[in-house]
Amino acid sequence: MLLPVIMAGGSGSRLWPLSRELMPKQFLKLCGDATMLQATLARLSGMAAELPLVICNEEHRFIAAEQLRQLSQLNHNIILEPAGRNTAPAIALAALSARRNGDDPLLLVLAADHVIQDVQAFQASVQRATKLAEADQLVTFGIVATAPETGYGYIRRGAVSAVSDAAFSVAEFVEKPNRAVAEQYLASGEYYWNSGMFLFKASVFLAELAKFRPDIMTACEQAMTQTEPDLDFIRVNKQAFAACPSESIDYAVMEKTDQAVVVPMDAGWSDVGSWSSLWEISHKDQAGNVQLGDVLQHGSSDNYIFAETGVVATVGLHNTVVIQTKDAVLVAAKDQVQDVKHIVQQLKQAGRSEHYIHREVYRPWGKYDSIDNGNRYQVKRITVKPGEKLSIQMHHHRAEHWIVVHGTAKVTIDQQQQLLTENQSVYIPIGAVHSLENPGKIPLELIEVQSGAYLGEDDIVRFSDLYGRV
């Protein structure tokens, strides 16, 4: 039995401003019509695999659930990490969950934010690795290096495996090299990029983890003894997991075990670690430009231009990244995009929100877009999915006006219900207990005008919520 384990945690800043802490790159459509998480799941199509286990953090749970639901792959299969503890504990939670009923599947561990252009080659590599995993080997996939990359870790291969000539023993894992060393690695032909993808029996991984890092194993076992079902999520014991050391699977197990083997993979892999790497793998016009959205260029070449709203125009621009979102614009030299992290740090230090959240925010019931705000007022465009309902709530500091633009709204104010259709409106005074529901078959869209002394999202007292929020 092959059980995919998709690691969808993390909230990196390297693709800011499109990627934010509450909407990191694994949940974005960066390469095509599917998000990176959905593309990771889609490349398993045709393989004899079980429903995947997805591991993500608390803040991303509803985004992950919705994206799995869109692919009909949601069924109580999302493990929530109470805190980030790196890959070894995350995989341990998945392995312990997989073993709960006495099963011992092969765990295919994948990152949700990688691009693989040749799906057939990817699946062939997994097939070659299956025989090794069934023979109790811990398989890692080494990407056939095509350039002296300094942004990747490397794996040096050893002798051909005794189990299969499709693999090699792992001689060593090496950290990100400088340019000169990376060129030596490429010339030798003995080094692969470290992909962070693995295949092994759940029982074998847990045995090796217990041997080399019993502290991690014990903490994860304790965290899994008190799981709580919550909608489609598996909640582990927060206190026990918080006590777990943070460690990568490479350091915790793969560098120590004598059962590690590497299977080469040549499948057009990229970890999409920067805007320049995204430019490299994207379709370009004759001038080398990547254009997404409403973009006009004149006398420009080798640019990556993304326009979310409005038109973005360039004249005489070269080797540049321009990213325009509803609330931020990034203009960066393509060979310096790794330094975008310094801008993110400045935003954090200034107490701003643009590193953390988009203007458009997704919720389990739909989404809202903060289209305008000023002194004592805020305007939002709210979309509620068919059959969904916001929490029963009240506010201490703000009143609200709702105007229905599309669909039908079921509104309850202090236990009085009414139906509103297009062009109708309602007023919710400060302190009124109220709720909003979409009873129809099409999305409900409305404009919300808030007014009051304080308009923060924390001015919500929830009395009842379908999604377990407080």
Side-chain angles (χ1 to χ4, degrees):
M1 183 171 68
L2 184 67
L3 176 62
V5 175
I6 314 298
M7 294 185 292
S11 53
S13 59
R14 292 180 293 178
L15 293 182
W16 184 88
L18 209 54
S19 175
R20 312 280 175 102
E21 287 187 25
L22 286 189
M23 184 62 81
K25 66 176 180 175
Q26 60 265 30
F27 302 116
L28 299 174
K29 296 179 180 180
L30 295 177
C31 301
D33 296 329
T35 68
M36 299 191 78
L37 169 60
Q38 291 173 328
T40 302
L41 298 172
R43 73 177 62 107
L44 299 169
S45 178
M47 302 179 71
E50 298 292 310
L51 202 66
L53 270 178
V54 174
I55 306 170
C56 72
N57 64 42
E58 178 85 13
E59 290 183 323
H60 301 148
R61 66 192 187 281
F62 293 120
I63 302 171
E66 173 61 17
Q67 295 193 3
L68 263 66
R69 185 197 64 77
Q70 292 173 3
L71 299 180
S72 300
Q73 297 199 39
L74 180 64
N75 187 17
H76 309 287
N77 56 329
I78 299 178
I79 298 176
L80 299 181
E81 286 185 291
R85 288 296 181 268
N86 216 315
T87 53
I91 296 169
L93 293 180
L96 289 165
S97 178
R99 294 280 289 150
R100 297 192 97 175
N101 296 323
D103 297 326
D104 191 14
L106 298 182
L107 303 184
L108 177 60
V109 180
L110 305 171
D113 59 355
H114 291 176
V115 167
I116 292 179
Q117 297 174 308
D118 190 340
V119 173
Q120 188 174 358
F122 162 77
Q123 292 191 357
S125 294
V126 173
Q127 194 63 41
R128 288 194 295 271
T130 299
K131 179 181 178 181
L132 293 135
E134 289 173 340
D136 294 345
Q137 301 294 288
L138 297 169
V139 180
T140 184
F141 295 93
I143 304 301
V144 176
T146 57
E149 289 287 346
T150 59
Y152 299 148
Y154 285 72
I155 301 169
R156 182 168 68 88
R157 74 186 188 198
V160 175
S161 167
V163 178
S164 169
D165 59 7
F168 302 88
S169 63
V170 173
E172 66 174 330
F173 289 85
V174 292
E175 295 296 328
K176 298 174 183 178
N178 60 36
R179 180 78 181 186
V181 173
E183 289 175 347
Q184 293 173 13
Y185 289 169
L186 183 65
S188 76
E190 297 179 354
Y191 290 82
Y192 302 102
W193 294 336
N194 188 351
S195 71
M197 297 186 289
F198 305 91
L199 182 68
F200 37 63
K201 286 181 183 176
S203 61
V204 173
F205 170 74
L206 292 173
E208 293 299 278
L209 182 65
K211 181 191 301 183
F212 298 114
R213 289 303 302 266
D215 52 345
I216 294 177
M217 183 66 177
T218 299
C220 290
E221 284 180 322
Q222 291 175 349
M224 288 298 294
T225 58
Q226 301 177 48
T227 60
E228 297 178 11
D230 174 14
L231 300 176
D232 288 290
F233 312 114
I234 301 169
R235 291 183 177 274
V236 305
N237 183 273
K238 185 175 182 178
Q239 213 168 10
F241 193 71
C244 182
S246 178
E247 190 67 278
S248 73
I249 181 177
D250 287 353
Y251 285 132
V253 174
M254 298 301 289
E255 292 187 0
K256 298 180 174 68
T257 182
D258 59 4
Q259 294 168 242
V261 295
V262 57
V263 169
M265 179 184 290
D266 188 1
W269 173 91
S270 171
D271 73 345
V272 197
S274 67
W275 287 114
S276 58
S277 64
L278 188 55
W279 173 84
E280 290 172 358
I281 64 172
S282 298
H283 174 75
K284 305 170 187 67
D285 65 16
Q286 291 183 341
N289 295 310
V290 177
Q291 301 182 173
L292 299 168
D294 194 357
V295 177
L296 299 174
Q297 297 203 64
H298 175 76
S300 300
S301 64
D302 300 319
N303 301 312
Y304 188 100
I305 313 292
F306 176 92
E308 184 175 43
T309 60
V311 61
V312 172
T314 70
V315 177
L317 194 68
H318 307 283
N319 296 305
T320 302
V321 171
V322 180
I323 309 297
Q324 179 264 336
T325 69
K326 292 178 179 179
D327 62 349
V329 176
L330 169 71
V331 180
K334 204 168 64 189
D335 61 355
Q336 297 183 48
V337 289
Q338 68 275 8
D339 290 335
V340 70
K341 60 188 177 184
H342 298 302
I343 299 297
V344 173
Q345 192 59 39
Q346 287 182 42
L347 291 169
K348 290 181 180 180
Q349 291 172 350
R352 300 179 61 133
S353 63
E354 289 91 344
H355 71 284
Y356 180 69
I357 195 168
H358 278 283
R359 202 185 81 176
E360 189 170 66
V361 178
Y362 287 84
R363 290 288 186 256
W365 44 261
K367 63 181 179 179
Y368 69 81
D369 185 0
S370 298
I371 58 180
D372 192 18
N373 64 82
N375 185 29
R376 295 181 62 89
Y377 80 91
Q378 182 169 216
V379 182
K380 293 182 177 180
R381 181 187 292 113
I382 295 176
T383 303
V384 185
K385 293 181 290 189
E388 299 296 336
K389 179 181 180 181
L390 281 67
S391 59
I392 300 173
Q393 58 185 254
M394 62 88 70
H395 312 293
H396 290 295
H397 303 289
R398 72 175 186 248
E400 296 173 341
H401 297 258
W402 292 342
I403 304 101
V404 176
V405 176
H406 182 70
T408 300
K410 182 179 179 181
V411 178
T412 304
I413 303 174
D414 290 334
Q415 301 184 337
Q416 298 296 313
Q417 289 186 354
Q418 56 182 304
L419 290 178
L420 300 178
T421 56
E422 294 179 12
N423 299 317
Q424 293 184 320
S425 63
V426 68
Y427 171 68
I428 300 99
I430 291 176
V433 177
H434 61 280
S435 66
L436 174 65
E437 182 177 354
N438 180 359
K441 302 295 184 182
I442 62 175
L444 164 65
E445 295 181 9
L446 57 85
I447 299 298
E448 176 182 85
V449 181
Q450 302 176 359
S451 60
Y454 179 74
L455 305 174
E457 284 299 307
D458 52 350
D459 180 25
I460 297 178
V461 178
R462 288 192 173 95
F463 298 95
S464 176
D465 184 67
L466 295 176
Y467 315 103
R469 298 170 299 168
V470 294

